[in-house]
Amino acid sequence: GMRRPVSPVKNVERFEPVPAKHVRFVVEETGNGAEPCVDELEIYRAEESGTSRNLALASAGAKATASGTYPGSPKHRLEHINDGRYGNSRSWISDEKGRGWVQIEMKEPASIDRVVWGRDRTRDYDDRVATRYRIEVATQSGQWQTVASSGDRLPRGLVKGDSVMLPQRNLTKAEAKRARAYSEELAKLESKRQRLLSKPKAYAGQFEQPEATHLLFRGDPMAEREVVAPDTISAVGDLDLKVDSPEQRRRVALANWIASRKNPLTARVIVNRMWHYHFGTGIVDTPNDFGRNGNAPTHPALLDWLAGELMRHDWSLKHIHRLILTSATYQQAGKPNPKGLKVDGDSRLLWRYPSRRLSAEAIRDSILRASGRLRLEMYGPGFSVYKPNDNYVRVYDPKEAWGPEEWRRMVYMHDVRMEKGPVFGAFDCPSGGRPQPSRTRSTTPIQALNLLNSGFMVQQSRLMAERVRQEVGDRPARQVRRAFRLTVARKPDDAEKEACLKVATRHGLAGVCRALFNTSEFLFIP
């Protein structure tokens, strides 16, 4: 009789025991015409009954190859076909619509009688399922023999749950074949119909005239008094609107007032922010508060002049960036002198370029860059530094092992509002739960301990040592020179070289890399 239709979850293909070294899963068609997806391909030995060892696993020495793999997706990679993990995020997808093959070469030949495969064992996805396929085996690559196929399966769509919609026993093979063709044609027509019925979608808002605003007696929302016109605080301007001004005019009036030449606050706040990011501290060091509760500007005339420059140059931010970066102030050295330190230790008056520690993101990404492991690809979902869990109340336990998935730039790190990220959260990362106009810059023992002893730092020091050895060979002096180049972009002096060679002899090259990651020169803008 005919077998049940293909399941998106799990399919067991049984056949007479056959000797094999290679097993190939060839897809000729998928249910929705998209590239086929398989989350795991498993092969089992004939003489063993029940749940035996899967011979297809990479950990058992098996190798996977494919006709092609969907490019650029971290979820769908060839190594996922035999990594022992199920689900869409650990699957292989072909790079051809509706077809493709994936092949396993076992460590040694074996007599096999079962191949098990699925699209998604976690039951989240049922698209991209292979509906027409064959399974081939060979003792030597190239001499293929088909041992199982979709030819004896009922078409998908004939089975609903556990009950067959067409009376299975009354179907001859020819009728089943015809029913399959009708069913597949019906599925294609149905998806075409859905496509034709779907309308373009847009996020759209509706402009409605706001209700009248009343003065409230003693602030009580239930005690409305006279109606007031929309306006700003009279001390800082007048929007000149009537009680019944249309909604659109109100928006335009507000925008014109914010960007008005008569309202220099906007320009002063923007140029102060730009100064803040270039020098580490703004001319006003409370960037969100220019009022009585904020601090006074260190250079009030300069702040006003920059605000005027912004407005005179048609609000061009590029013009202000260029002014700041080409100024003698920005380009001066960071070397201290005794007189300056005595008068202004924090360099708020900018007698030298103010020294400051890099932010958490820059420290982490610089470490990955030096070890050669930073992944620069853009877009797509971020990565998490916490262990996955399905608790009713989420628990955020930091991962103990880090891999390529976590080696993207820190801007792609999934931020948890109530948690500081492991290792680099100690470096004054702002909370994601509230606005933070400027970061604090603290120095704490936790920072030093994290940079010296955390699993991430130990791993990256080892990987950087591997990179250095690969690039310059086994001569210690050249290794030290290369390590300095990669971290602090200069050659070591004689004393530094001697010290590093001693550390390398006693603790290995990774110890030198770890020490360099912890130097002020690496962590600070001097």
Side-chain angles (χ1 to χ4, degrees):
M2 298 290 283
R3 287 195 294 159
R4 293 181 63 77
V6 170
S7 161
V9 184
K10 182 181 178 183
N11 299 282
V12 180
E13 311 283 347
R14 295 180 184 279
F15 38 84
E16 289 299 313
V18 59
K21 174 95 161 66
H22 308 266
V23 174
R24 187 159 72 173
F25 184 73
V26 183
V27 182
E28 293 158 346
E29 198 172 330
T30 56
N32 62 347
E35 298 87 347
C37 177
V38 181
D39 72 349
E40 194 75 4
L41 191 60
E42 302 171 354
I43 305 166
Y44 293 97
R45 211 185 283 275
E47 58 269 30
E48 293 171 4
S49 60
T51 53
S52 55
R53 203 161 61 93
N54 171 14
L55 303 178
L57 286 170
S59 55
K63 291 192 185 73
T65 47
S67 55
T69 300
Y70 198 79
S73 171
K75 291 181 180 178
H76 310 300
R77 305 195 0 211
L78 178 58
E79 59 263 33
H80 292 168
I81 196 76
N82 62 340
D83 63 353
R85 291 170 69 180
Y86 300 147
N88 184 61
S89 57
R90 305 290 302 184
S91 63
W92 166 81
I93 286 191
S94 163
D95 60 352
E96 294 173 77
K97 291 222 183 290
R99 47 180 305 162
W101 55 261
V102 64
Q103 180 182 322
I104 304 284
E105 180 185 350
M106 292 177 285
K107 192 177 177 190
E108 53 208 19
S111 173
I112 63 168
D113 69 349
R114 257 179 315 145
V115 169
V116 180
W117 64 278
R119 179 313 179 215
D120 180 9
R121 311 286 172 96
T122 58
R123 299 173 184 268
D124 292 332
Y125 293 85
D126 62 359
D127 60 346
R128 303 180 180 276
V129 182
T131 48
R132 248 183 53 224
Y133 62 87
R134 62 182 192 274
I135 292 167
E136 302 173 326
V137 301
T139 44
Q140 292 171 324
S141 186
Q143 300 173 356
W144 297 104
Q145 163 195 355
T146 301
V147 290
S149 78
S150 56
D152 61 345
R153 284 191 182 276
L154 282 165
R156 278 184 90 197
L158 293 187
V159 174
K160 198 105 170 163
D162 281 334
S163 62
V164 178
M165 286 161 64
L166 290 178
Q168 211 174 317
R169 61 185 182 279
N170 297 341
L171 286 180
T172 64
K173 270 200 172 177
E175 285 168 340
K177 196 174 176 184
R178 205 157 61 244
R180 169 202 276 286
Y182 287 147
S183 170
E184 287 173 359
E185 192 182 344
L186 184 65
K188 279 178 191 160
L189 290 170
E190 185 56 41
S191 73
K192 188 178 176 184
R193 177 173 168 269
Q194 287 303 330
R195 254 197 331 273
L196 293 170
L197 284 174
S198 64
K199 296 179 177 70
K201 289 184 177 68
Y203 284 101
Q206 224 172 337
F207 293 112
E208 289 177 358
Q209 185 63 7
E211 291 175 11
T213 306
H214 297 262
L215 275 180
L216 305 176
F217 179 63
R218 304 181 86 173
D220 181 356
M222 305 310 289
E224 293 180 346
R225 294 293 188 265
E226 67 269 30
V227 174
V228 291
D231 214 331
T232 64
I233 300 165
S234 55
V236 289
D238 179 12
L239 294 186
D240 194 26
L241 290 166
K242 296 182 175 59
V243 171
D244 59 350
S245 288
E247 198 269 351
Q248 186 251 8
R249 192 169 297 160
R250 298 178 189 212
R251 287 168 173 269
V252 172
L254 178 63
N256 284 335
W257 174 70
I258 290 172
S260 163
R261 293 283 180 95
K262 292 177 186 162
N263 172 25
L265 184 65
T266 306
R268 293 173 87 232
V269 168
I270 292 173
V271 295
N272 187 64
R273 284 286 171 128
M274 294 164 82
W275 193 273
H276 159 90
Y277 284 113
H278 286 307
F279 286 99
T281 312
I283 297 168
V284 175
D285 63 9
T286 50
N288 258 20
D289 196 340
F290 276 43
R292 280 281 174 87
N293 292 332
N295 293 334
T298 49
H299 305 75
L302 172 63
L303 182 65
D304 287 347
W305 180 79
L306 283 171
E309 272 294 287
L310 180 66
M311 293 194 282
R312 282 191 293 278
H313 285 79
D314 200 23
W315 299 84
S316 164
L317 298 183
K318 189 178 275 188
H319 173 70
I320 304 298
H321 281 303
R322 190 180 284 120
L323 268 179
I324 293 173
L325 297 181
T326 55
S327 68
T329 309
Y330 185 81
Q331 292 183 26
Q332 69 188 328
K335 284 194 175 151
N337 65 54
K339 187 181 164 196
L341 286 171
K342 198 172 176 184
V343 177
D344 174 29
D346 289 341
S347 187
R348 289 292 284 119
L349 302 176
L350 300 172
W351 52 273
R352 65 166 176 150
Y353 188 87
S355 171
R356 69 180 191 268
R357 197 190 62 222
L358 293 173
S359 58
E361 293 88 342
I363 296 172
R364 181 185 176 279
D365 293 357
S366 300
I367 289 164
L368 285 164
R369 190 69 192 246
S371 74
R373 293 306 192 279
L374 183 64
R375 286 174 54 196
L376 291 173
E377 61 260 41
M378 293 164 70
Y379 316 118
F383 64 88
S384 175
V385 287
Y386 300 101
K387 293 176 188 171
N389 67 79
D390 298 318
N391 291 35
Y392 177 66
V393 175
R394 286 300 299 270
V395 178
Y396 294 102
D397 293 325
K399 287 179 179 173
E400 276 135 32
W402 309 74
E405 212 164 285
E406 291 85 28
W407 291 344
R408 295 182 72 188
R409 284 170 298 172
M410 194 168 161
V411 71
Y412 287 105
M413 188 175 99
H414 178 67
D415 197 19
V416 178
R417 286 184 183 179
M418 302 305 290
E419 293 285 336
K420 283 189 168 182
V423 187
F424 297 96
F427 288 86
D428 309 299
C429 277
S431 150
R434 60 177 185 271
Q436 192 162 339
S438 61
R439 296 187 184 194
T440 52
R441 271 199 291 279
S442 62
T443 303
T444 67
I446 294 292
Q447 293 167 351
L449 290 167
N450 282 359
L451 270 191
L452 206 56
N453 300 329
S454 65
F456 178 81
M457 294 305 298
V458 171
Q459 176 203 49
Q460 292 304 315
S461 307
R462 198 187 71 242
L463 291 171
M464 182 177 157
E466 274 173 29
R467 175 189 179 174
V468 168
R469 270 194 291 272
Q470 241 169 3
E471 288 179 3
V472 298
D474 291 329
R475 282 164 56 190
R478 288 179 72 177
Q479 289 175 348
V480 168
R481 210 159 49 239
R482 183 68 183 141
F484 264 74
R485 268 265 176 264
L486 289 171
T487 48
V488 294
R490 64 174 177 84
K491 286 181 185 169
D493 63 30
D494 292 342
E496 288 168 335
K497 197 159 104 182
E498 282 308 306
C500 287
L501 288 170
K502 273 185 194 158
V503 172
T505 312
R506 201 170 302 162
H507 303 290
L509 182 56
V512 175
C513 298
R514 191 145 52 124
L516 282 166
F517 285 147
N518 280 270
T519 57
S520 294
E521 196 172 342
F522 181 75
L523 298 170
F524 281 74
I525 298 172

